[in-house]
Structures are given as C-alpha cells and as structure tokens.
C-alpha cells in the first residue's frame, strides 16, 4: 500500500531553504578558512596524540565527555607557549550544530577547534559561564580535534577540567504564522548562557523565527528588552540578509521597518554583547506588524530636515548647531495627544530640548521650525522651544554631530524617530591667513594653518629679518595681536550680542583698562553707583519711603540709554581702527589689548543693560506694561543670562572695587528694587554674570591661539577678582512631589524653593511595584547638573514612602515622607522640605 506524504507547508519548505542557505554560506566560509589556514609547524610527540572521544551522532550519541587535569607537566599547547594542553579527537556523523564546553573551577580555560589535519578553525576564551570556554559551530561530517588549554599557563598551577562535545538541538527557527492586516505576530523569550548561538556571530545568543507574508507590504519589526541590548536581523529566502538593526527603536531596542515582497522571512533576535557579557537572563519581546500605509500617510511624520554648523570648529570651544525640524505628514501630532523631543549627540556630547507638546499651534501638518537663518526655508518659522544647541567637542580631528527627533503619543510610547548626521572638523586652535601685526615697534607676519587631522600650527616671522629667531614673549604678543585682528576686529559690529545695538546715539566715551573680570566688575560697580545716586532712590529709601516701581523703571531706562551712548563711542573707535588696518597699517599689541577689553565690556555689560533699557521702553508703550508678552519675552532672555552662581556677591564686590562709600546702603536698596520690579533683578544679574564670565572667556581665547600659558606675560590677567565675587553657593531647598497618573503609576519630581518643578526622565513607580522594594529615579537635574535621585517604595499597608539620594551619596528621609494609600488621581502631594547640595558643588 502506497502512503502519501503530507504536504509541506510554505513556512516549513522555506525553513529548509533558509537552513540550507545559511549552512551553505557557513560551509563556504569554512572551506575558505581550510584552504587559507597554514598547517601547524611543530609536530606533537606520540604521547601527545589526541585522545579518541568517539563519534557524535552515532547510535544516538548526542554528547561526548572527557575529564582531565592540567598538571603543569603536560604536553605543550600548539598555540600558547608554556601552557599545558590536552587534545581530543571526535567525529561528526551528519551535519550538526556542535557546542564544545571546557569547564574548570580552578583554571581559566581556553579552547581551540582544529580540522583533522590540525588546521585551526576556531578558538575561544570566555564564551561559557564566567571564565569557562565555549565554541559553537555548524560542522559537516568528518573528524575534528579539540585542544583544551588555559589562559594563565603553568604558573597558575594544576587544575581539573571537564570537556563536553554535544549536538545542539532546538535551534531551528520557530514559525510565527502569516502576517496579515490587523493581526500582529508576537513572540517572547530569554537570552541565557545556554541559548543557541547566532547564525551570523555564534558567540551571541539568538532565537530564530519564521513568518509568511502573503502579500507585499510595509512591515515593522520591534525587538524590545528591559535589561538586554537587542539586535535584529532579517533574512529572505531569495535575497539572503536584507536588513539588520541595533538601536533603531527606543533606547537600546531594535526596529526594522521596510517594504517586503511576498515570501517567507527569517528573523533572528540576538544581542549586541556576546553571550558571556549578558545578564544571566534577559527577557525579550518580538512584534511583527503590517503597517497600514494609508493611515501612515495620513498621519504625522516628524523629521529633521536640515542640520548646519561651521565646517571647522575649535576643540574645547562651544559652537552652535542649527537645525530645521518639521512635520512632513498630512496629520497633526495633536491627533494622538503627542509630544516631541529634539536632541543632539556627538563625541562625548548629549543635549536635548524639553518635551514640546502638540497643540493647535504646535506640530500641525506641514509646519517646519528653524533655529536660525542658516536652516530656514520659505515655509519655516521660529518658536521659542526650538533653539540651536551649543556643543563643545573635546578633541581635534574629523568629527560629527547627530540631531534627532523622537515622537511620543499621550501614553509616552514612542511613535516615530528621525535624525541626520552632520560631519565637521574640530581644530586644535584658531586658523587664519597670514596677517601683519606690530609688537614693540617691529612688524611680524603671523599665520595659523591646520592639517587634515585638525592640528593647528602657528608661525611668527619678523618682517625685517625672516630668518631671525623670535623670543617667546614677542611671539605670544604677535599671535595675540593676530588673533584680535582676525577674530575680534573683523566683524566686531556683527557679533551676535552686539548686532542689534544702535550706533546712532550721542557718543559717551568710556575707558576700559583690561578685559579681566575684576576690571569689568570695578567699572560696572562705579557706573551702577553713579546711576543710583542720580536717581534719588538712595535718599528716598533713607527717608523711609517705599521704593516706587516707576522710579526703578526710569533707572533701567536711563541705564539702557547710557549703555547705548557708550556703545556708539566704542563702535566709532572700532570703525576707525578697521579703516586704518584696511589702509595698510599693522595692528599693534597695545591696540589689540584695548580692543579686546572694549569688546568684552560691550558684550558682557553694555549689551544686557541696553536690552534692559529697551524692555523698559517697551513696557512704557505696552498697554499691559511689564505683563505684555513681548516684554516678558525680553525679560525672560535677560533672566537666562543672569542665572549664574554668585551674582549677588558679585554686586557687593563690584561696589567695593569701585570705591563706593555707601556700598552697604546700596545693597539694601538693591534688595528693595528687586522686590519692586523683578525685571530690574534680571537686568543687573545679567550684567554681573557677564562680568564674572570674562576671565573664563579670555582664558579660552588664549587657549585657542595656543598661548594659554602666556596670560601673565601679556598682561592679560588683569585685576584680581575679590573673593566675595564667588561665595559658596547655598544648598538647594526642595520638596519631593508625587501624584497618581491615570494608568495607576505614581509620577515623581522635585519642587525647588522658588516653585520650579524638576522632573527626572525616569520618574514613574509602576502600579504593580513589589512591596518593600525601593525604586530609584534617574538623576534630578538643576541648571544641567545632578542634585540627586528620588527613591520610593510601596509599604504593606498601601502607603508610599519617599526619600532622596543626594548627589554626594547621602540618603535623606524627609520628616513628612508618607503618602496615603488612597491617592486621588492627578493631585500633587509634597514631602517635608529637605536640603541638597547645589549643582556642581563638591
């Protein structure tokens, strides 16, 4: 009687084809290795001949075993000099995946796999658990040799070992079924030490899956893991490996999305790290989804459209990264209640925007946002939430930045990702063409050029005698003057902080001695004291009168007008200097030093005071006064410039340095004016912070010129800052805040003393969190620096207990730290007040 063979399913047939294709590829590679490998030069003695283990697969024999001991007087390893070694021979009866384990409790095992003619095929050190060795390969029928040796050699002493050679089963791909619209295919599993090896890199644990695609379509495959680092590979029966991805999903998760023709496909779910570097167990989830392309076309699509930086930047110096990001889709992000985050990544660089929520005015279909003219197009607009990133690269040479945008829905699930790479070169210093400068009456030609690796070389040649040696001090002065000419004088009026300042005011001369912070504070203190005296406010306060906000507004307006008058005088002097240089005159070192000081004063003090005067004028004109949106935007920008540590102490130091006789009274008046008109505080602090930053700016300028160690010789250290300008910053006073979200999770954050709320990136306690187990948030950042982390645990009675891990490592338990078991949804609860070290404090 003839028996009919049952029909083979499409997936089963394709599985065989895929297995054959993978095996053929591996066999071809193995054959090439056999042909190219050189035979072992030294022939082993008879007593070192391999020990027979038997035939793998014969009579159902799936495992061959041996035990032994490295005694420090065994045969020498073929490959590791002065190492004990034992050799074993085994046969493979039929094609099989074979795993060889060498385990030792006392020794650090090392494995070699050889062909029968002793050609080396593979080796391994720590592919098993701990220091144990493992080799896993697809082997064809034939004889093979295993050498069992050690890493440490005979100096480590004797050690016992166990060797096993076994067939690995269960590595065949698992069929998931047919992928159809509205029906996702899913699988889950774990990567462990015993998981089968990848078909492509066997040291990495992997699971294989097959799916059938009856009709062509766009397929999205997600491989996610909480504690693993997933990697995806997609293989076609007809085209072989067609896609692979490491971190295309959220965080370290993997994603492949592409159009696929009808057919059967193999998915390999593996990991970025080798098997022995993984956690003991890492769970994963695989989801294969057929994208509804029509719905996708009608939905939102956020993309980075353009990235722009200077072609060359200076290592260690901040530079702007401009970009344009837009919604190129036909739907708005508000359709899913979503939000977006834009971020930049570079070599040791990461920064991101705050989350930008979708609304009728944000992320609607077709909108594009630019950060500046270099990335604008005819349809893009600027908004406050989208600003250029400031990036600093640490080393010189060819480099890059990557700007990306991630889209989230209302549940915080990632819904889209896109980004662009941008290449640039980081230079070790400033570069400029040859210019002529003057030092002590003599002229010198100075040029700075960079090589392909970004290394800058600066030359200084005496005009009168090109072969003459230039001493170090003269060289430093010449380089400084050339830097001032090319980096400061050229384009002085177009510098970002000064470009918008008017130059048509009646000039008021000002003398600036040097560009140091001490000189800036002294000058600011004297001008501030004079302005207060002229206002009459000190006398009013001394008479017990409350400070009139209108009088403070008048003071700001007057200080702004005086700042513009001083800028007009400086701008006129710079134009005259530019005309002289363009006429052929050489810029002298003395002129360069004066120019530098004037520019620092203009950018750091004149600019914020002029902006404060404009805000005061705008407030006078606006019906809402200081509450007008445009005016608030102006004062907000000033507040950002004035957010530095030590501004209050800097005012005391500035008044003392200027010789003001009534400094304490003026400080008391300052406190009252801050309370009467908050915009005043923003303006004064912006100027004070600008003065404090001058020394750091000057040091960076000298470093970029390659003369950072010459500040004293150049006379650029200037006046010493009084110690009061940098008092120890006070501790952060804060409360932990928490509320119950709609999904049952508890959200945490920190409320600072001023009412500002800082939310860590990872801030949710899961609804099913285990009782008694502390959960710790990611870092809470204030002014870009961590002040600590929040910890939370669920108690047996249903309450929640809050705590705080300070950045200095100290745990703090607030006096009020327990939340009731029945939390109302959406209501913020606060802990007792606690203290944390200020950001960047030691």
């Amino acid at each position: 009687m003839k028996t009919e063979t049952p029909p083979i399913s499409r997936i089963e047939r394709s599985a065989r084809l895929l297995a054959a294709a993978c095996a053929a590829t591996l066999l071809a590679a193995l054959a090439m290795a056999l042909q190219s490998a050189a035979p072992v030069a030294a022939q082993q003695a008879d007593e070192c001949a391999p020990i027979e283990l038997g035939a793998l697969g014969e009579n159902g024999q799936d495992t061959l075993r041996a035990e032994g001991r490295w005694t420090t007087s065994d045969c020498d390893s073929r490959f590791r000099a002065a190492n004990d070694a034992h050799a074993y021979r085994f046969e493979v009866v039929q094609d099989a995946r074979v795993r060889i384990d060498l385990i030792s409790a006392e020794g650090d095992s090392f494995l070699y796999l050889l062909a029968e003619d002793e050609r080396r095929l593979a080796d391994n050190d720590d592919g098993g658990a701990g220091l144990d060795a493992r080799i896993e390969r697809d082997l064809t029928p034939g004889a093979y040799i295993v050498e069992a040796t050690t890493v440490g050699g005979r100096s480590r002493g004797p050690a016992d070992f166990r060797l096993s050679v076994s067939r690995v089963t269960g590595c065949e791909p698992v069929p998931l079924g047919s992928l159809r619209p509205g029906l996702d295919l899913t699988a889950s599993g774990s990567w462990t030490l015993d998981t089968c090896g990848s078909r492509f890199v066997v040291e990495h644990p992997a699971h294989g899956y097959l799916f059938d695609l009856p009709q062509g379509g766009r397929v999205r495959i997600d491989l996610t893991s909480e504690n693993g680092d997933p990697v995806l590979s997609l293989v076609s029966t007809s085209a072989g490996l067609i896609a692979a991805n490491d971190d295309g999903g959220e965080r370290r998760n993997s994603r492949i999305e592409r159009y696929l023709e009808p057919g059967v496909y193999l998915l390999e779910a593996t990991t970025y790290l080798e098997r022995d570097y993984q956690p003991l167990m890492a769970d994963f989830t695989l989801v294969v989804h057929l994208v509804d392309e029509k719905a996708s076309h009608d939905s939102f699509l956020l993309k980075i459209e353009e990235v722009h930086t200077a072609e060359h930047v200076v290592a260690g110096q901040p530079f702007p990264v401009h970009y344009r990001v837009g919604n190129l889709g036909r739907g708005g992000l508000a359709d899913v209640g979503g939000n977006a985050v834009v971020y930049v990544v570079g070599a040791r660089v990461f920064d991101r925007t705050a989350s930008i929520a979708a609304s009728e005015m944000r992320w609607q279909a077709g909108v594009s946002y630019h950060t500046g003219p270099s990335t604008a197009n005819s349809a893009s607009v600027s908004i406050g939430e989208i600003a250029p990133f400031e990036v600093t690269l640490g080393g010189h040479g060819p480099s890059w930045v990557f700007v990306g945008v991630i889209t989230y829905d209302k549940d915080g699930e990632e819904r889209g990702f896109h980004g662009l790479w941008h290449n640039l070169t980081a230079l070790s210093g400033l570069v400029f063409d040859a210019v002529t400068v003057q030092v002590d009456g003599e002229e010198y030609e100075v040029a700075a050029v960079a090589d392909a690796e970004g290394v800058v070389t600066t030359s200084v040649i005496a005009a009168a005698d090109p072969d003459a040696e230039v001493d170090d001090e003269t060289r430093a002065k010449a380089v400084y003057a050339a830097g001032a000419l090319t980096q400061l004088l050229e384009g002085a009026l177009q510098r970002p902080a000064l470009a918008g300042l008017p130059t048509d005011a009646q000039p008021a001369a000002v003398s600036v001695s040097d560009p140091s912070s001490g000189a800036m504070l002294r000058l600011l203190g004297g001008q501030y004291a004079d302005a207060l005296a002229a206002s009459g406010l000190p006398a009013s306060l001394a008479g017990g009168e409350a400070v009139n906000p209108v009088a403070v507004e008048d003071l700001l307006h007057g200080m702004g007008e005086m700042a513009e008058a001083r800028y007009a005088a400086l701008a006129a002097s710079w134009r005259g200097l530019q005309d002289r240089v363009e006429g052929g005159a050489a810029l002298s070192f003395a002129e360069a030093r004066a120019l530098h000081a004037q520019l620092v004063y203009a950018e750091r003090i004149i600019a914020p005071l002029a902006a404060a005067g404009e805000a005061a004028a705008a407030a006078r004109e606006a019906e809402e006064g200081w509450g007008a949106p445009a005016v608030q935007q102006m004062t907000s920008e000033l507040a950002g410039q004035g957010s530095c540590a030590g501004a209050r102490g800097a005012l005391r130091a500035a008044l003392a340095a200027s010789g003001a006789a009534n400094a304490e009274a003026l400080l008391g008046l300052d406190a009252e004016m801050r309370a009467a008109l908050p915009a005043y505080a923003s303006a004064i602090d912006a100027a004070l912070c600008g003065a404090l930053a001058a020394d750091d700016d000057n040091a960076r300028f000298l470093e970029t010129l390659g003369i950072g160690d010459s500040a004293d010789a150049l006379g650029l250290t200037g006046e010493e800052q009084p110690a009061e300008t940098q008092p120890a910053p006070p501790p952060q006073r804060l409360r932990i805040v928490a509320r119950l979200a709609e999904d049952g999770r508890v959200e945490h954050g920190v409320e600072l003393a001023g009412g500002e709320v800082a939310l860590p990136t990872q801030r949710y306690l899961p609804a099913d969190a285990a009782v008694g187990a502390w959960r710790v948030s990611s870092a809470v950042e204030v002014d870009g620096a961590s002040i600590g982390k929040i910890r939370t645990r669920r108690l047996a009675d249903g309450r929640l207990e809050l705590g705080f891990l300070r950045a200095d490592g100290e745990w703090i338990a607030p006096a009020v730290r327990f939340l009731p078991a029945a939390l109302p949804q959406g209501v913020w609860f606060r802990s007792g007040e606690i203290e944390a070290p200020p950001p960047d404090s030691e």
Side-chain angles (χ1 to χ4, degrees):
M1 179 177 178
K2 187 176 180 180
T3 303
E4 292 188 2
T5 303
I8 301 175
S9 73
R10 186 181 185 190
I11 291 185
E12 291 171 335
R13 184 183 302 110
S14 297
R16 296 180 183 179
L17 291 173
L18 283 166
C22 290
T25 301
L26 293 171
L27 287 173
L30 181 60
M32 292 177 64
L34 288 171
Q35 293 171 8
S36 61
V40 178
Q43 185 67 35
Q44 299 293 307
D46 291 342
E47 63 269 19
C48 296
I51 301 170
E52 292 290 340
L53 287 181
L56 191 64
E58 186 175 73
N59 300 323
Q61 185 81 347
D62 286 334
T63 302
L64 307 174
R65 304 182 188 277
E67 294 184 357
R69 180 176 178 81
W70 295 299
T71 66
T72 73
S73 60
D74 303 306
C75 298
D76 285 341
S77 166
R78 293 163 173 78
F79 308 100
R80 307 179 73 83
N83 278 39
D84 290 311
H86 295 269
Y88 299 88
R89 181 182 182 277
F90 69 94
E91 292 187 15
V92 174
V93 175
Q94 59 184 4
D95 290 348
R97 176 168 284 245
V98 177
R99 178 179 294 170
I100 307 167
D101 280 304
L102 182 60
I103 300 170
S104 176
E106 298 121 348
D108 186 353
S109 56
F110 200 104
L111 267 174
Y112 291 95
L113 175 64
L114 315 175
E116 187 174 23
D117 63 358
E118 298 196 347
R119 296 175 187 272
R120 179 170 160 185
L121 304 179
D123 61 57
N124 181 262
D125 181 10
D126 296 330
L131 300 181
D132 295 334
R134 172 180 291 177
I135 291 175
E136 185 177 314
R137 288 290 187 274
D138 289 313
L139 298 181
T140 57
Y144 298 88
I145 296 172
V146 172
E147 180 180 282
T149 184
T150 64
V151 174
R154 293 189 173 103
S155 63
R156 307 294 292 183
D160 295 324
F161 66 84
R162 289 180 290 121
L163 176 73
S164 66
V165 181
S166 57
R167 296 179 61 183
V168 183
T169 59
C171 295
E172 298 77 16
V174 177
L176 296 179
S178 293
L179 183 60
R180 302 181 185 278
L183 182 63
D184 291 348
L185 303 178
T186 62
S188 60
S190 299
W191 296 297
T192 70
L193 284 170
D194 295 323
T195 301
C196 298
S198 163
R199 287 170 172 78
F200 307 103
V201 187
V202 294
E203 289 80 7
H204 297 239
H207 293 265
Y209 300 93
L210 291 165
F211 72 93
D212 176 32
L213 185 63
Q215 295 183 340
R218 190 166 191 84
V219 177
R220 183 173 67 242
I221 307 157
D222 283 292
L223 182 62
T224 60
S225 176
E226 285 291 329
N227 57 341
D229 191 351
V231 175
L232 263 174
S233 296
L234 176 64
V235 182
S236 161
T237 55
S238 59
L241 180 64
I242 58 175
N245 180 264
D246 178 13
D247 294 332
E250 188 174 5
R251 296 189 295 275
R252 296 187 300 175
N253 295 318
S254 298
R255 170 177 291 178
I256 292 174
E257 182 172 332
R258 62 184 301 159
Y259 177 83
L260 299 178
E261 296 180 353
V264 175
Y265 294 87
L266 168 69
L267 286 172
E268 185 176 82
T270 183
T271 62
Y272 178 75
L273 296 174
E274 295 180 15
R275 181 187 287 109
D276 55 320
Y277 292 119
Q278 297 291 330
L280 291 179
M281 177 179 288
D283 297 329
F284 67 85
T285 301
L286 177 72
V287 178
V288 186
H289 172 75
L290 188 60
V291 176
D292 183 340
E293 290 198 282
K294 182 181 184 307
S296 179
H297 292 164
D298 292 339
S299 184
F300 54 85
L301 178 61
L302 271 60
K303 298 181 75 173
I304 300 296
E305 300 178 59
E306 187 176 353
V307 177
H308 176 79
T309 69
E311 184 178 352
H312 296 89
V313 300
V314 179
Q317 296 296 301
F319 64 92
V321 175
H322 286 274
Y323 56 92
R324 186 173 72 250
V325 56
N327 180 2
L328 279 66
R330 299 170 62 181
L333 185 55
D335 296 343
V336 296
N339 61 81
V341 172
V342 183
Y343 68 92
V344 64
V345 177
R348 298 184 179 180
V349 168
F350 178 79
D351 195 8
R352 51 164 283 175
T353 67
S355 178
I356 306 171
S359 66
E360 293 182 358
M361 302 298 294
R362 292 288 183 270
W363 302 124
Q364 58 268 55
V367 72
S368 287
Y369 305 122
H370 63 252
T371 61
S374 62
T375 54
N377 64 13
S378 58
S380 62
V381 297
S382 64
I383 58 174
E385 300 96 317
I386 298 293
F389 292 110
E390 188 174 88
V391 169
T392 302
L393 298 176
H396 63 80
S399 192
W400 53 271
V401 291
F402 178 85
V403 179
V405 57
I406 303 178
T407 311
Y408 300 93
D409 62 21
K410 63 180 179 180
D411 298 320
E413 296 295 327
E414 183 181 324
R415 293 290 298 271
F417 160 79
H418 184 261
L420 288 179
W421 294 91
H422 183 81
N423 295 323
L424 50 89
T425 300
L427 306 177
S428 65
L430 292 169
V431 296
F432 46 84
D433 294 332
V435 294
T436 301
V437 296
Q438 188 183 93
V439 177
D440 298 330
E442 298 292 331
E443 292 189 352
Y444 297 86
E445 186 178 89
V446 185
V449 297
D451 62 16
E453 295 302 314
V455 177
V456 176
T457 301
T458 303
S459 61
V460 179
I461 301 173
D465 183 2
D467 296 326
E469 184 176 346
V470 180
D471 64 82
D472 290 344
E473 181 175 337
T474 301
R475 183 184 187 281
K477 289 181 177 181
V479 172
Y480 174 79
L485 172 60
T486 59
Q487 310 301 318
L488 303 182
L489 181 59
E490 295 178 5
L493 298 173
Q494 286 74 47
R495 295 170 71 88
L498 307 178
L501 293 180
T503 59
D504 54 357
Q506 182 66 34
V510 59
S511 175
V512 190
S513 60
D514 66 66
S516 68
S517 290
M520 294 298 129
L521 286 172
R522 179 182 54 77
L523 190 57
L524 176 61
Q527 294 172 354
Y528 177 75
D530 291 344
L532 285 180
S535 70
L537 284 168
S540 297
L541 184 64
E545 296 180 10
V547 172
N548 185 348
V550 175
V552 182
E553 180 183 292
D554 290 342
L555 173 68
L556 277 184
H557 189 266
M559 291 177 71
E561 288 184 332
M562 180 55 68
E564 290 181 357
R566 289 170 178 147
Y567 180 68
L570 293 177
S573 70
W574 299 339
R575 289 194 190 97
L577 193 57
Q578 288 172 340
D579 291 341
R580 286 186 55 248
V581 171
E582 290 173 0
L587 184 72
S588 71
F589 169 72
E591 290 171 329
R593 190 169 180 274
L595 169 68
H596 187 186
Q598 292 167 1
L599 267 173
V600 170
Y601 173 70
E603 290 184 308
R604 292 299 183 179
I605 296 178
I606 284 181
L609 293 180
E614 291 180 3
R620 289 178 173 180
E621 296 293 329
E623 184 175 345
E624 305 96 324
W626 289 97
V631 178
Q632 288 186 333
Q633 177 65 29
M634 298 168 75
T635 56
S636 176
E637 292 175 359
L638 282 171
Q641 297 175 39
S643 57
C644 69
R648 187 85 171 106
L651 180 57
R652 179 185 298 275
L655 291 171
S658 69
N662 56 342
E664 289 302 320
L666 294 181
L667 287 170
L669 175 59
D670 172 78
E672 297 302 317
M673 290 192 293
R674 288 170 182 266
L677 187 65
Y680 157 83
S682 299
I684 297 302
D685 286 350
L688 290 168
C689 289
L692 290 175
D695 282 346
D696 288 341
D697 287 349
N698 297 339
R700 281 195 293 268
F701 181 58
L702 297 184
E703 287 294 334
T704 61
L705 291 171
I707 53 174
D709 57 352
S710 303
D712 289 336
L714 298 176
L716 294 175
T717 49
E719 303 175 14
E720 182 178 353
Q721 289 188 50
E724 299 94 320
T725 62
Q726 296 179 348
Q732 291 279 353
R733 304 191 66 83
L734 54 91
R735 299 174 189 269
I736 303 170
V737 294
R739 67 176 176 182
L740 181 65
E742 294 181 0
D743 58 5
R745 297 183 298 169
V746 178
E747 182 180 12
H748 302 87
V750 159
E751 183 180 72
L752 304 179
E756 176 188 357
V757 174
L759 299 176
T761 303
Q762 299 174 8
R763 60 180 181 274
Y764 290 96
L765 178 71
D768 58 353
V771 172
W774 287 105
R775 291 293 191 99
V776 180
S777 74
S778 57
V780 178
E781 294 189 352
V782 175
D783 296 332
S786 171
I787 62 171
K789 300 178 180 180
I790 303 166
R791 69 171 186 169
T792 314
R793 69 175 175 180
R794 194 177 299 280
L795 302 179
D797 59 6
R799 295 183 303 163
L800 296 179
E801 184 178 0
L802 305 177
F804 196 75
L805 174 61
R806 295 175 16 148
D808 59 8
E810 180 183 349
W811 286 105
I812 300 177
V816 178
R817 63 181 182 275
F818 297 102
L819 304 185
L823 280 175
Q825 186 174 298
V827 178
W828 286 107
F829 281 71
R830 292 164 173 79
S831 75
E833 190 174 60
I834 57 179
E835 288 187 354
D840 294 330
S841 66
E842 297 295 334

